[in-house]
Amino acid sequence: LMLWPAAAAQAEVPGLIAIRNARVMTAAGPVLPKATVVVRDGLIEAVGAEIAVPPGAWVVEGEHLTVYPGLIEGLG
């Protein structure tokens, strides 16, 4: 009996996500070596080195990760 994959497929995606301290490749600007990306309801809300993590955000520690611009759905 395999219930875990079905439960994982129905897991609720967080509405507010912050990827903190990641290397961010911007589409038209410089590479940000240590920045935060805030995503609210599937849309990028803020990107930058001085961006604070909003209260209640699901935090992804981004050290050793690189964030690229694109149309990728990683959680759904």
Side-chain angles (χ1 to χ4, degrees):
L1 185 62
M2 293 191 55
L3 296 177
W4 183 83
Q10 295 176 358
E12 188 173 324
V13 176
L16 182 58
I17 302 168
I19 305 170
R20 176 171 58 190
N21 297 323
R23 180 174 184 239
V24 177
M25 309 295 286
T26 62
V31 173
L32 305 175
K34 194 170 186 180
T36 297
V37 178
V38 176
V39 179
R40 186 182 303 268
D41 299 325
L43 299 174
I44 296 172
E45 182 174 280
V47 178
E50 302 297 324
I51 302 298
V53 173
W58 181 49
V59 178
V60 175
E61 293 300 337
E63 289 185 15
H64 309 293
L65 297 178
T66 301
V67 177
Y68 294 92
L71 300 172
I72 300 171
E73 183 180 349
L75 295 176

